C-alpha cells in the first residue's frame, strides 16, 4: 500500500510507540440500534482494514450515532465530535476512561456512505494529530491526507459505485 510519507496516518504508522500497560492498541466501536446491519458490516470492514494497515497506540472509542449531524457546544453542526482528556499525552493514559472518544453521525437517508466514511477518516486524522502532539493544526489542513486514505480504502475494497451511494 503506497501512502505519502507526509500523510499523518503514515507518520503515526512509522513511529515507535511505547506500550502502555493496561492500554489496548485498537479501535473500539459501537452502534446505535437503529443502524442497519448491512451498514454495521461496512464499518466493521473499514475498521478491520484500518487496524491491519495502521497503528492505534491508544484505544480510540468510536460511537456511530443514528443522527444526521451532531451539535457542538457552540451550537454548530458537526460531522463528528472527538473528546480527549485535556492536556494528556498518550503515554500518560492508563485508564479506559481516559481514552479518546468520538461520536460520528450515521444517517443513510441524508448522506452517501463515502461522505460518512470521509467524516470518520477526518475523526481518526484528528486522533493522529493528537498522538503526534499537533493539535494546533486543523483537520481542514489535512484534506489531502483524508482523501488519500479514503481512496486507498476504495481501491482496496474495489466495490462498485453503488456501494458508495
Amino acid at each position: 500500500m503506497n501512502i505519502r510519507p507526509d500523510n499523518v496516518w503514515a507518520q503515526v504508522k512509522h513511529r515507535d510507540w511505547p506500550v502502555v500497560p493496561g492500554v489496548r492498541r485498537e479501535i473500539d466501536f459501537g452502534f446505535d440500534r437503529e443502524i442497519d446491519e448491512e451498514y454495521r458490516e461496512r464499518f466493521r470492514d473499514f475498521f478491520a482494514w484500518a487496524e491491519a494497515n495502521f497503528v492505534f497506540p491508544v484505544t480510540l472509542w468510536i460511537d456511530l450515532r443514528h443522527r444526521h449531524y451532531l451539535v457542538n457546544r457552540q451550537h454548530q453542526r458537526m460531522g463528528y465530535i472527538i473528546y480527549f482528556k485535556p492536556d494528556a499525552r498518550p503515554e500518560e493514559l492508563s485508564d479506559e476512561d481516559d481514552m479518546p472518544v468520538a461520536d460520528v453521525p450515521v444517517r443513510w437517508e441524508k448522506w452517501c456512505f463515502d461522505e460518512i466514511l470521509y467524516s470518520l477518516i477526518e475523526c481518526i486524522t484528528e486522533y493522529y494529530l493528537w498522538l503526534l502532539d499537533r493539535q494546533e493544526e486543523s483537520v481542514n489542513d489535512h484534506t489531502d491526507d483524508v482523501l488519500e486514505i479514503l481512496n486507498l480504502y476504495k481501491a482496496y475494497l474495489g466495490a462498485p459505485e453503488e456501494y458508495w451511494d
Side-chain angles (χ1 to χ4, degrees):
M1 175 173 65
N2 290 334
I3 185 170
R4 290 178 297 110
D6 64 333
N7 187 313
V8 293
W9 288 56
Q11 291 175 21
V12 170
K13 180 179 179 176
H14 297 298
R15 186 168 164 183
D16 189 25
W17 295 97
V19 174
V20 180
V23 174
R24 291 176 290 126
R25 299 166 66 98
E26 64 186 4
I27 300 174
D28 265 346
F29 53 91
F31 301 98
D32 281 351
R33 282 188 303 244
E34 298 86 359
I35 297 174
D36 185 85
E37 184 58 38
E38 174 191 347
Y39 295 108
R40 289 177 187 224
E41 200 56 43
R42 289 183 185 194
F43 285 111
R44 286 184 192 107
D45 290 345
F46 173 76
F47 291 136
W49 175 83
E51 284 187 328
N53 290 285
F54 300 97
V55 297
F56 295 86
V58 172
T59 305
L60 172 60
W61 177 264
I62 299 175
D63 281 319
L64 295 150
R65 304 281 185 191
H66 189 251
R67 301 212 173 99
H68 290 301
Y69 55 85
L70 301 169
V71 178
N72 69 9
R73 290 182 180 154
Q74 291 77 34
H75 306 290
Q76 299 167 312
R77 293 180 178 186
M78 307 292 291
Y80 69 90
I81 297 177
I82 190 164
Y83 309 93
F84 302 102
K85 186 172 183 179
D87 302 322
R89 296 303 313 136
E91 59 277 4
E92 298 168 350
L93 303 180
S94 61
D95 189 300
E96 287 294 315
D97 294 334
D98 292 341
M99 301 304 143
V101 176
D103 290 334
V104 178
V106 177
R107 283 300 291 266
W108 310 113
E109 305 87 9
K110 182 140 177 103
W111 306 107
C112 297
F113 183 63
D114 64 344
E115 292 172 316
I116 296 167
L117 199 54
Y118 185 93
S119 286
L120 178 58
I121 294 168
E122 275 188 325
C123 179
I124 296 170
T125 301
E126 188 168 334
Y127 160 81
Y128 282 150
L129 288 170
W130 169 73
L131 286 171
L132 295 168
D133 201 16
R134 291 165 52 181
Q135 296 98 308
E136 74 282 354
E137 296 176 34
S138 166
V139 174
N140 294 331
D141 299 332
H142 293 276
T143 301
D144 291 345
D145 295 356
V146 174
L147 285 171
E148 183 177 18
I149 298 303
L150 180 61
N151 290 330
L152 283 171
Y153 183 64
K154 283 183 171 185
Y156 159 79
L157 206 56
E161 194 61 38
E162 56 268 11
Y163 179 89
W164 305 103
D165 293 337

